[in-house]
Amino acid sequence: MIFKKNGAIKIIDKDALRNKKIDNIIYNAVFNKESTIKEASRWLIRNAGNKLGIVSSSIQSLYEAMGKKEYKGFTVPAINIRGLTYDVSRSIFRAAKKNHVGAFIFEIARSEIGYTDQRPAEYMAAILAAAIKEGYEGPLFIQGDHFQINAKKYEKDKNAEINTVKGLMKEAIEAGFYNIDIDTSTLVDLNKPNLTEQQRLNFEFAAEFTAYIRSLEPKGITVSVGGEIGEVGKKNSTVEELRAFMDGYNTTLDMKGKGLKGISKLSVQTGTSHGGVPLPDGTIAKVKLDFETLKNLSRVARDEYGLSGAVQHGASTLPPDAFDKFPETGTAEVHLATEFQNMIYDSSVFPQDFKKEIYDFLKNHPDIKKEWKEGDTEEQFFYKVRKNGFGPFKERFWSLPSEVRKKIGEELEVKFEFLFKKLNVIHSKEIINKTIKPVEVVLPNPPNLA
């Protein structure tokens, strides 16, 4: 049970909160039609998390230690959750508790926020509620993934697009996202005469956004910021591109303000694509990922620039035997998303009538059906677009029968445990406790609780 006292909260029965109350609180935080109840529920979850030692934190100090080579031999998984967010998060926390894992990140991309209908405050609430439910304690890392400039929108209205991205950064930090991946690699122009000019817009806007993030940080928190030098799905990155970006970025950031903390990691392209490449029968094409390039990029990022290393995107659909290569190559972080979505849709317990209803919606949606490219089979089309079902059917997903959600959660828990072991973050709780000093940010009472 929880009650408000002197502008804060006090938990008088942890077991009652976890076993009886939190399910209802998080449902209200996501779906209640009354905005005052929704805001109060989110406030309650955030401050209850603080009281229970579940504190939204920046992973910055760990990544700085990795940049100094104080810690190595593991790769931090960054997990995007597109649907069933509360249940999927619970499965992650169960796998983490079982294996003493502390080095893992929850994240959501700008594009995902749109098609999954999950604004930052809601996403934060769902993950914190799951941690409370499962009795997890410790720093919690929530990340804005691909906070990206859309090249077409930028070309149409530069200032509007920049302000949109800044607005999202402000919203995310206020919600407790203390890790943000800037993606201005969409502005790289390979037609320019040299690497510096090719990367110029990329590093200039990355520096501008970094400075903006620094101006928004709560007291005592240094947001971990990432940059990106190559769009996933495009040509592979090179060491020369990394240096061109980093040299230009550091120079530009220094002009924004002396002593501003820069990025802690750098996303690169080494052969993957987001979601994988579906074949006509709906299976995924095998990807040839260039681990040697990844190794060299991570080494230069650490040795020459003090970063934690390189970041690999689009990795969840890789074959199982690929994952242990990430720690071997010194990859700092790996981003994982689509496979978890696939496991939900393709679970043997997922209701087929519900799946058909979603697929019919996607096939008839005027904007989504435009994604059906000439020559694509139905299986290829649905594989590529079914991520768009999570937003319109969000409450239906959350309201699936408990036995269905339980079984899917158990299947995902096995997957997360496998990934934690392959990425060598087992027993990383001790490293997190040594490197991360959580800073509680107490939210002011919402107006209805004032």
Side-chain angles (χ1 to χ4, degrees), residues 394-406:
K394 180 170 64 175
E395 191 165 8
R396 294 276 299 281
F397 272 98
W398 280 59
S399 302
L400 285 169
S402 58
E403 64 272 17
V404 171
R405 290 183 286 110
K406 183 175 184 291

Side-chain angles (χ1 to χ4, degrees), residues 244-258:
F245 173 87
M246 285 303 304
D247 291 344
Y249 170 82
N250 286 336
T251 299
T252 307
L253 185 63
D254 195 51
M255 291 189 291
K256 300 288 181 183
K258 291 291 182 183

Side-chain angles (χ1 to χ4, degrees), residues 229-279:
I229 60 171
E231 267 198 272
V232 175
K234 301 296 177 65
K235 82 171 197 67
N236 284 4
S237 304
T238 66
V239 166
E240 292 74 23
E241 286 173 332
L242 186 153
R243 290 189 178 116
F245 173 87
M246 285 303 304
D247 291 344
Y249 170 82
N250 286 336
T251 299
T252 307
L253 185 63
D254 195 51
M255 291 189 291
K256 300 288 181 183
K258 291 291 182 183
L260 284 178
K261 185 79 71 173
I263 60 174
S264 62
K265 58 188 175 178
L266 193 62
S267 296
V268 300
Q269 166 60 6
T270 59
T272 60
S273 63
H274 284 130
V277 178
L279 297 172

